[in-house]
Structures are given as C-alpha cells and as structure tokens.
Amino acid sequence: TVPNQPIECVPTVVVEDDRTGLSVETLKRAFQDNLFYIQGKFANIATQNDYYMALAYTVRDRLLRRWLTTAETHTHQGVRTVAYLSAEFLMGPHLGNNLISLGIYDEAKQAITELGLDFDALLQQEEEPGLGNGGLGRLAACYLDSMASLDIPSIGYGIRYEFGIFDQDIRDGWQIESTDKWLRYGNPWEISRPEWAVEVKLGGHTERYTDENGRNRTRWIPHEVVMGIPYDTPILGYKTNTATTLRLWSAAAAESFDFAAFNSGDYFRAVQQKTVSETLTKVLYPNDESAQGKKLRLAQQIFFVSCSLQDMMLILIRQGIPLEQFHEKFAVQLNDTHPAIAVAELMRLLMDEHGIEWDTAWRITQKTLSYTNHTLLPEALERWGMGLFSTLLPRHLEIIYEINSQFLDDIRRKFPNDDARLSRMSLIDEAGERYVRMAHLACVGSHAINGVAALHSELLKQDVLRDFYELYPEKFSNKTNGVTPRRFMVLSNPRLTNLITSKIGDGWIKHLDDLRKLEAFVEDADFRQQWRDIKLAIKQDLATYIKQVNGIDVDPTSLFDIQAKRIHEYKRQHLDVLHIITLYNRIKANPDVHITPRTFIFGGKAAPGYFMAKLIIKLINSVGDVVNNDPDVRDRLKVVFLKDYNVKFAQRVYPAADLSEQISLAGKEASGTGNMKFSMNGSLTIGTLDGANVEIRDEVGAENFFLFGLTTPEVYELKAKGYNPYHYYESNPALKAVIDRIASGGFSNGDTNLFNPLVSTLLYKDDYLLLADYQSYIDCQDRVSQTYLDQEYWTRLSILNSARMGKFSSDRSIREYCEDIWYVKPVAVELKEYVQAGT
Ligand code: NBX
C-alpha cells in the first residue's frame, strides 16, 4: 500500500454540520440524510431496519471525530497502550450505549419521536454482536467501556466470528439451537481495514539456516497461510473524547499463497482452498467452562493472537520505534488461556521475523504479558494434545520446549531433588498422552497473574496454581471483577437512574462510590415509595413480555426471583428447582398453607453438547407446566423460562428482580458478574460464600444479604471425609419428597426415565453438593419469603444494596489493573478546533 501522505483534509470538518451536530434539529436532518444516501430509501418504503441503520450511521458519524483524534493523540504522544486480548467480546447492542456516552440519548429520542417513529423499537431492532459465551466475554466488553471512560490508551483484540453464540429456542421444554446471523443486515458500527491485513502461518515444518551475519536462525515453512483482515469498531467512553478501538480479525484466503495449485493450472482447487481458510472465523465455540481440544479452536487462537501481535509491531514500525521497546509501548492482557499462545508467538515474531536474540525476546515477552485466570474447574483448563499441536504449530512447539527446559532448570535450582514438582509444573503434561498446558505457559510467560475475586485469587494460590505461587509469589494478585454502570444502570434502568440522579446528582455514573449518598434517603418514606413504584413498573413491563412470549400470566406484585446465567451443574439451577418443588409439595399437602407469592424466572443457554445442562432446562420447563397449571397453587407460584437470554435481554431482566440467585457451590464460581448487575439495580441476593458474593456481602452488610450453604473449607472437608448424598436424601423427609416427585414422573406424565440421569446423579454422585446445601437453602428462602412480607423493610434493604455497590464498577477494576499490572496512565484527548469550511 502507498504510504500515508501528509494531507490537509483532516481538519476541514465543519463544527456544527450534519455529521457532528448534536441538536435535535441537526439529528433529524442527519437521520433523513442517511436514510436517503446510505440506505437508499424514501421513507415510504423504508423498513424498521432501514430506520435503525439511518440512526446508527447518524450516531457513528458523531463518534468518528473523537475516535480518530484519540488514535492520533496516542500515536503522537507515543504512550503505553493496553492491548486486551480476548477470544470473546460480548458487546451487546451499541446504539443505546453510544447515545449515552455521547450524552444525546434524550435528543435522539426526541428527534426520532418527532419524525413519527418509535424510538424504543429502533433500539430493539439492533442485532447484538453476541461474540461471547457469558461472563468472560462480557467482562472484556465492560473493560473496554471503562478503559475508554477513564481515558486509558487501549485496544481490544479479538475474533470477528461470522456466527456468534447460537440463538436459543425452546420446543417441548427442550433447548433448540440455531445460528446467530448477526451480520445478515450489515453492521453499521464497524469499518474494515483490508489495507492493514496480515498473514498467519499454519502447519508445515521448520528449517535451520545461517543468516547474513553468520547467526543460526530458524525458518518456518508453513503448509498454509491465512490472511487476517481487521474490522474496527469505536468504543466511546462516557462523556469523554476518548474512543477506544475494538479490532476484530476475520480470516480470508491468501490467494497468492497456493501457488503450487495455480502453477499446475488447478484453478478450482486453489479457489476451493479459500473456503477452508474462511471457515476459521466462522463460528464461536459455544462451550463455557470446558476445553474441547478441537483443531479449529487452536487455529482460531493462534490466528487472532498472531494477527494482533503483528499489528502491534506494525504500529511501532510505522512510527520508527525499535521492537526492543515493545514492552514499553504495549501491556498485553491475556483474558484466560485462550490467547496464551501469545507467549510463544511473541517470542517467534521477535526472534524469527525480527532477528532479536532469545534472552532479549524473553525479557520483552515477560514484561509485556499478563494473565487473568477465570476458572477453578479442572475440566476448563486448556491443554492441547501433542499430535494436534505439533501439526499445526511446529515452530511454537520448539519454542515451548526451549522455554520449558530453561523453566525446569529454574525449578531444579530452587527446589532441588523434587521430581514430582517438576512433572506437576512442566509445560508439557506427560502423565499419559502428552499435552501442552496452556495455563502453565501463560504463568511462565507473564509478569503478572490474577484471579477475578478475592476468594478465587486465594484458591488459585492454594490449589490450581499453588506450585506457581510458591515459585513466583510476586506475580500473583487479585483483581475483583466489575461491571459498567453505564450499560447496566443508566441504559438498562432509566427510571431508577433518574430517581437516583434527582437525589444525588449524576456524578455516580463515573464515580460509583457516590451511590453511598443514597443511604441518607433510606428513612425517607416518599423516596422509598418512589423506589418501590419504579421496581413495580419494571416488573409490570417484564410481566407483559412474559405474557407475550411465554403466554404465562404472572403477578407483578409477587416476588420476582431470578436466576439468569449460563446453565451449568456447578451454578446449581436445579437447586433452585428443588426449592420450587418444596413449596409445591407444601401446597399439595395443605392447599391453604401460607405462601409468599413468587415468580421464579430462569434464563440462560446450555452448551449444545452438555446433556445434563439441557436436561435441567427441560426440568425447569416441566416443573413450570405442572405448577403453573395446578389449580391448588392458585397462582401463588409461577415458573418461567425465558428463552434466548443475551445482553439485550439481560438489560431488561436485571432491573426487574427482587431476588438474585447466586447459589453456586462455594469454591466453584470464580467471581460472577451478574450478581453485581442485579444488586446495583436494587435486587437482594440469596447466595453462597462463593466468588464475588463474598465481597458483595462485605460491602452491603451481612444483615442485607441472604447467606446460606457450606463454605469452601467445609466443602473440602466434607469431600475429604467421603460425601454420601444418599444419606441426606434418606434423612430429610422434605428433600426425599421432592426427589421422589421428580423420580416418580410427577413432572414427566409418569415417565420415570426422563429425569433419571439427574436424579441418580444427585443421589449417588452430587459433585456440587446440592443435597448437602438443600436444607440451609430452604431455610434461607423461608427467611426471604418472610422478609418480603414487610415491604417497607424490604425496600430499605433494596436501597442499601444499590447504595453500597460502588466497589463493583469496572472503573475500579480497571484502575487497579492500570496501577498494579499495566503501568498505564490516562491520556486526555482534546478535540481540535475544526476549520469552518463555510459551504
Ligand atoms: O468468567 C466466567 C466465570 O465463570 C465467572 O465466575 C466470572 O465472573 C467470569 C468473568 O471473570 N467464565 C466464563 O465466562 N468462561 C467462559 O465463558 C468460557 C468460554 C470459553 C471457554 C471456557 C470458558 N473455552
């Protein structure tokens, strides 16, 4: 490509023209202009999507000046930049968020309404980019929002999956998956940059050679080369000029590469080869918390990591900065082990492609990289079979062997004669079949390692990464997760936002600790009434939605008890179900028993290959069918499974909850972030001492949190002495009645087989100790029901929960990463005075 010319076209945008102006009148004009010139439609034939696109382009125009100025400012100042590497970015819809960040939400609403259109319907029109599975992907999205809002020079690097997380439908109570065609009608937020494409090598073999300086070097002769095309999306910070970039890579065939086929005239085979390359970024793997070992998945990882590191190098090279300064210019965060191949790839690029010596390359690598762990589940730790790894990444394997050999020497020096330790810590698992251990690679190649909640970080040190902690205690720290209050309060809960702002001003949106000021209003009965009215109105809206979609009537004054998250046995959605059946049994035993009316709401997707999770969905729906239609229940209990839970929908769900279910077995949920989103919106939590629940409880106060269940040490102890779930079943009549009702076909029209896998797992295995925690959970739920009867008291707790959530803003998390791990400082971006073109 032709190098950039220093041309004058940059500062000639008119200040208040149709692409930058923020007034209602300008927005209206710009919208109509975009409808005509971008969508190519007269209003009378425009679809809802045309209107959405016209508005989206109107908003994007207003981001561009800030975005380009941000990039230019950072380049000129040569600042250190955070590169957040994540295989997933679960962004959710952009339109509403950008309007909030620009501070023109109300203006846009007025403009659209004055044009006779339904503004909320346009927001709903957006197909969300669901490029993630759950918490890990959403965390990356929250962190981009916070980095932009805090003026941190940053870029998010990931994969532009053509199909994101599958759409979920429910048929006959079962989950049915279909492909997420989010790009079907185009994506107005991204700009492709084919001129910045890079090449990624795969397969083949390596060769030694001597370079012109007589040094021994290695060359990788790949079997295949794939192109990575970057697609950039601006992420504007809240009420600041900093707009960060989300740069997602899409795979394309490197046409010129397959010269052998071309030379032999096999044109069709060469073109066919294109489809193979292009499948690389076709689809997001829908498994959370389980490593699969598929070749395509490893190919996706090296693909986006290599593209991103090469891109960073090109940025430096274009500025004439030597690559020996790589670590001074970039702090690269690895979001779990999915990008951990970066350790070997950065070494390879520095040495093989840029001629830097091993020792220097290793120092740069360690100073650049840091690693966040998101799980304690052994089945989720990534390892790659040696056969697969060596076929796809022969050069990386050589580098990993060399890293490993130096690393093992280091251990031998520090812990002499400890062979068991060597084999536990080796980058290669050699117990049976040989594997590359990605978490070990990440730990060795990074200068910092962190967990995502205080408890989780402790357990990493004691358990999963204990050996690494003993070797490098200074690398370890905790960075408790956070969530962005812009999306999860301001955008999703405008009513509560307005009430809060009317009392304490709007400073809390950037400084969430300010919510504490709400505590002063807890004794104000009018305020409490307003708080309650808002919650009721939101619940009414959700009730209307439930009626439309599920056809179920729910009472908005009943206690909305919500569990919304991926379906997994460790998260224990089925414990929630055991509670529902317990209440149902009480009613069946005595129809006049007192019951606090509750609506049990579930949302979440199961990994398509995870049978137990899918059976749990079926159980929820089956229990719903019985309970919702039994006249004895007299509508006091309702069970609803909301299909296709995603970010867009989550934004409607969090504000509607009275009670948030955070009931994983202690020691299993690394942090949780939904727990924070519910609580900010005034929900109370019922939860175990797991993940960030521990810190939420510390913040809101033990008296404002419904705690139950075994603690982590108690779990270890119980398992060590031999856990026998059957004993709990036998000795607890209420529990026995619940299990028996399931087992005897009470929710499957007499079919005793359907739920047998679930029942027998609970009775004879129960890895997640549902039966051990059952009674404690039920007792706690009874306290919840009792508390809800006193609405004034409940409202006080609800207000206090919101007021004390300041710590869980992702702004706080990002500040901690900046100070302790990245050493990156905010950089103010000033918009230049633009020349008035005048015509
Ligand atoms: O990461 C989640 C944890 O389970 C949560 O406790 C935590 O709050 C959150 C953010 O730190 N992990 C998660 O969402 N994992 C995945 O989605 C995942 C995706 C692919 C994969 C493994 C895990 N191969």
Side-chain angles (χ1 to χ4, degrees):
T1 46
V2 184
N4 298 335
Q5 303 287 329
I7 42 175
E8 288 136 57
C9 74
V10 182
T12 51
V13 177
V14 184
V15 174
E16 267 296 316
D17 76 358
D18 286 2
R19 297 207 156 182
T20 60
L22 304 177
S23 72
V24 174
E25 282 313 309
T26 317
L27 291 171
K28 277 161 94 170
R29 224 170 34 240
F31 173 83
Q32 287 168 312
D33 187 80
N34 283 331
L35 186 63
F36 191 87
Y37 285 104
I38 307 277
Q39 291 310 104
K41 290 270 180 86
F42 284 122
N44 62 337
I45 59 157
T47 63
Q48 189 75 346
N49 195 61
D50 290 323
Y51 290 132
Y52 158 73
M53 295 291 264
L55 180 56
Y57 281 111
T58 302
V59 173
R60 194 183 89 176
D61 285 342
R62 279 145 187 82
L63 302 178
L64 274 165
R65 189 157 69 117
R66 291 165 175 82
W67 192 22
L68 301 190
T69 308
T70 301
E72 195 192 41
T73 305
H74 293 166
T75 308
H76 271 161
Q77 300 193 12
V79 298
R80 183 170 159 93
T81 298
V82 177
Y84 200 87
L85 262 61
S86 180
E88 306 189 0
F89 285 92
L90 190 43
M91 301 302 291
H94 290 291
L95 178 56
N97 202 245
N98 283 327
L99 288 170
I100 300 245
S101 294
L102 282 165
I104 57 166
Y105 190 92
D106 293 338
E107 288 78 359
K109 184 166 186 163
Q110 191 185 334
I112 295 301
T113 311
E114 285 179 12
L115 290 168
L117 298 167
D118 180 343
F119 178 73
D120 292 327
L122 288 199
L123 288 186
Q124 283 301 315
Q125 182 66 27
E126 181 168 353
E127 284 266 5
E128 73 171 70
L131 308 185
N133 273 286
L136 172 151
R138 183 54 232 176
L139 186 77
C142 283
Y143 282 180
L144 291 184
D145 179 274
S146 283
M147 289 192 285
S149 298
L150 294 172
D151 297 319
I152 300 301
S154 52
I155 177 165
Y157 281 113
I159 300 175
R160 183 177 178 272
Y161 300 105
E162 188 179 336
F163 304 116
I165 187 70
F166 63 85
D167 293 336
Q168 179 195 53
D169 202 352
I170 301 294
R171 262 182 247 157
D172 187 29
W174 295 97
Q175 167 176 300
I176 305 288
E177 303 92 18
S178 58
T179 40
D180 158 49
K181 303 193 188 72
W182 71 290
L183 291 167
R184 189 169 19 181
Y185 301 114
N187 173 6
W189 303 105
E190 67 184 8
I191 296 183
S192 75
R193 310 282 193 193
E195 70 279 17
W196 293 337
V198 295
E199 294 189 341
V200 177
K201 301 178 199 175
L202 297 170
H205 65 276
T206 62
E207 288 174 359
R208 311 295 152 218
Y209 71 100
T210 311
D211 70 9
E212 58 276 22
N213 304 317
R215 285 168 48 207
N216 294 327
R217 301 270 298 267
T218 300
R219 187 159 41 216
W220 176 12
I221 316 294
H223 171 72
E224 195 184 342
V225 173
V226 181
M227 301 276 287
I229 318 280
Y231 286 72
D232 290 354
T233 300
I235 308 297
L236 180 65
Y238 178 71
K239 293 194 179 166
T240 177
N241 294 325
T242 300
T244 241
T245 298
L246 172 61
R247 178 162 290 174
L248 300 179
W249 299 96
S250 179
E255 181 150 338
S256 61
F257 177 72
D258 209 355
F259 48 82
F262 269 105
N263 287 347
S264 62
D266 195 350
Y267 172 73
F268 277 94
R269 202 182 73 74
V271 175
Q272 250 177 6
Q273 188 60 33
K274 278 170 96 84
T275 56
V276 177
S277 304
E278 282 158 10
T279 52
L280 233 156
T281 52
K282 267 259 178 282
V283 60
L284 166 78
Y285 278 91
N287 309 302
D288 63 323
E289 316 285 354
S290 91
Q292 262 211 327
K294 289 276 192 301
K295 181 171 170 192
L296 184 63
R297 168 87 180 167
L298 181 59
Q300 288 182 340
Q301 296 184 351
I302 183 63
F303 169 75
F304 96 92
V305 165
S306 180
C307 287
S308 308
L309 291 171
Q310 290 187 62
D311 190 59
M312 289 175 234
M313 290 184 174
L314 285 172
I315 290 171
L316 297 187
I317 290 167
R318 272 190 225 115
Q319 295 176 63
I321 298 173
L323 292 182
E324 281 79 1
Q325 292 174 26
F326 192 88
H327 57 289
E328 292 166 25
K329 297 299 171 191
F330 287 105
V332 176
Q333 188 69 32
L334 307 177
N335 197 25
D336 214 295
T337 55
H338 317 149
I341 192 64
V343 175
E345 175 66 1
L346 183 51
M347 288 296 287
R348 187 191 70 79
L349 289 168
L350 291 171
M351 296 190 306
D352 297 359
E353 309 280 344
H354 297 283
I356 293 177
E357 300 279 357
W358 177 283
D359 290 346
T360 308
W362 186 238
R363 209 164 28 81
I364 294 171
T365 298
Q366 282 189 318
K367 286 191 171 180
T368 300
L369 301 177
S370 41
Y371 157 56
T372 305
N373 171 290
H374 294 266
T375 188
L376 295 158
L377 302 186
E379 66 268 31
L381 294 178
E382 288 192 302
R383 1 170 261 170
W384 294 105
M386 198 51 88
L388 194 163
F389 200 98
S390 62
T391 311
L392 199 65
L393 302 174
R395 177 58 182 144
H396 296 78
L397 189 57
E398 292 172 355
I399 293 173
I400 288 171
Y401 278 141
E402 181 56 30
I403 296 172
N404 199 32
S405 128
Q406 299 191 10
F407 171 58
L408 295 177
D409 285 345
D410 208 26
I411 302 172
R412 279 190 204 95
R413 271 194 298 277
K414 289 185 183 132
F415 302 94
N417 307 315
D418 192 347
D419 282 352
R421 184 181 297 267
L422 288 174
S423 67
R424 285 199 309 270
M425 295 187 76
S426 172
L427 303 187
I428 314 294
D429 179 345
E430 304 190 88
E433 259 188 83
R434 299 171 73 230
Y435 293 93
V436 181
R437 295 162 159 163
M438 299 310 273
H440 294 204
L441 181 63
C443 285
V444 176
S446 300
H447 69 278
I449 302 165
N450 74 282
V452 291
L455 173 68
H456 168 62
S457 296
E458 280 311 306
L459 294 173
L460 281 182
K461 293 192 286 187
Q462 286 168 28
D463 195 23
V464 183
L465 299 177
R466 179 185 182 139
D467 291 318
F468 288 87
Y469 177 61
E470 285 172 7
L471 184 65
Y472 317 119
E474 71 289 350
K475 286 192 188 185
F476 283 75
S477 75
N478 172 244
K479 297 287 168 280
T480 298
N481 284 167
V483 303
T484 171
R486 271 76 63 179
R487 181 176 293 271
F488 292 105
M489 293 186 79
V490 181
L491 179 59
S492 24
N493 203 342
R495 287 178 269 216
L496 196 67
T497 297
N498 289 338
L499 175 62
I500 294 173
T501 299
S502 75
K503 292 292 175 191
I504 65 172
D506 66 1
W508 60 275
I509 299 170
K510 269 212 155 165
H511 304 279
L512 202 63
D513 287 323
D514 282 6
L515 283 178
R516 284 264 174 190
K517 295 178 186 162
L518 284 177
E519 288 191 33
F521 300 92
V522 168
E523 292 310 323
D524 175 342
D526 282 348
F527 180 69
R528 286 201 305 274
Q529 188 61 49
Q530 291 176 51
W531 189 272
R532 248 192 324 274
D533 289 348
I534 286 171
K535 182 65 84 179
L536 183 62
I538 299 166
K539 289 164 69 180
Q540 179 67 63
D541 288 350
L542 187 60
T544 306
Y545 176 90
I546 290 172
K547 177 66 182 169
Q548 267 168 19
V549 176
N550 295 57
I552 301 172
D553 286 299
V554 307
D555 172 5
T557 67
S558 66
L559 191 166
F560 275 28
D561 173 338
I562 309 189
Q563 190 170 19
K565 53 183 75 205
R566 288 298 290 258
I567 313 292
H568 204 293
E569 286 165 282
Y570 87 79
K571 294 178 189 282
R572 304 198 294 191
Q573 277 91 356
H574 45 339
L575 181 58
D576 203 333
V577 176
L578 297 186
H579 173 229
I580 299 172
I581 302 174
T582 303
L583 296 179
Y584 181 62
N585 280 348
R586 287 182 193 166
I587 290 175
K588 294 310 278 183
N590 170 15
D592 294 323
V593 70
H594 180 268
I595 294 273
T596 300
R598 283 209 202 204
T599 302
F600 295 90
I601 298 171
F602 295 85
K605 295 174 182 176
Y610 185 178
F611 170 72
M612 253 339 175
K614 291 181 135 178
L615 193 58
I616 291 173
I617 293 178
K618 173 68 175 168
L619 177 65
I620 294 168
N621 284 308
S622 304
V623 170
D625 284 345
V626 171
V627 169
N628 298 345
N629 298 307
D630 187 330
D632 285 348
V633 174
R634 299 203 302 262
D635 291 335
R636 287 169 292 177
L637 306 178
K638 285 285 161 70
V639 183
V640 178
F641 188 92
L642 296 169
K643 69 172 182 180
D644 205 29
Y645 184 69
N646 56 16
V647 177
K648 197 200 278 191
F649 190 47
Q651 291 172 200
R652 307 171 62 131
V653 170
Y654 295 123
D658 294 304
L659 186 68
S660 146
E661 298 272 350
Q662 306 300 336
I663 60 178
S664 52
L665 175 64
K668 296 292 176 189
E669 189 69 273
S671 165
T673 43
N675 46 4
M676 303 167 187
K677 297 165 195 167
F678 278 112
S679 191
M680 281 178 184
N681 284 284
S683 166
L684 304 194
T685 304
I686 182 165
T688 50
L689 281 180
D690 199 15
N693 294 353
V694 178
E695 291 155 84
I696 292 176
R697 180 166 169 270
D698 284 347
E699 291 294 306
V700 305
E703 65 287 6
N704 302 314
F705 185 104
F706 294 100
L707 179 71
F708 77 97
L710 297 169
T711 63
T712 311
E714 286 165 353
V715 169
Y716 285 150
E717 201 180 310
L718 181 57
K719 288 203 166 174
K721 77 173 190 221
Y723 172 57
N724 175 13
Y726 201 84
H727 157 78
Y728 291 84
Y729 165 79
E730 275 178 322
S731 56
N732 184 335
L735 172 58
K736 181 166 187 305
V738 167
I739 303 263
D740 288 350
R741 194 181 279 275
I742 303 174
S744 64
F747 304 104
S748 44
N749 301 313
D751 179 350
T752 54
N753 286 322
L754 180 61
F755 296 116
N756 183 50
L758 250 168
V759 169
S760 50
T761 301
L762 287 179
L763 290 181
Y764 304 109
K765 193 149 108 39
D766 196 18
D767 285 337
Y768 303 107
L769 307 191
L770 279 82
L771 302 202
D773 272 346
Y774 169 82
Q775 195 56 51
S776 164
Y777 181 55
I778 298 298
D779 293 343
C780 191
Q781 287 285 20
D782 287 341
R783 291 201 299 280
V784 170
S785 289
Q786 195 58 40
T787 309
Y788 191 72
L789 295 176
D790 183 347
Q791 281 288 298
E792 285 289 359
Y793 181 66
W794 185 278
T795 309
R796 283 189 178 84
L797 302 195
S798 166
I799 296 167
L800 289 178
N801 262 266
S802 293
R804 296 175 178 174
M805 288 302 288
K807 173 173 174 184
F808 303 100
S809 166
S810 43
D811 297 347
R812 189 268 314 144
S813 314
I814 287 300
R815 282 200 191 89
E816 292 180 3
Y817 278 97
C818 284
E819 280 176 22
D820 303 342
I821 297 181
W822 299 334
Y823 313 116
V824 172
K825 294 208 156 48
V827 173
V829 173
E830 272 160 49
L831 292 186
K832 297 224 183 60
E833 275 309 312
Y834 280 68
V835 176
Q836 292 276 348
T839 50

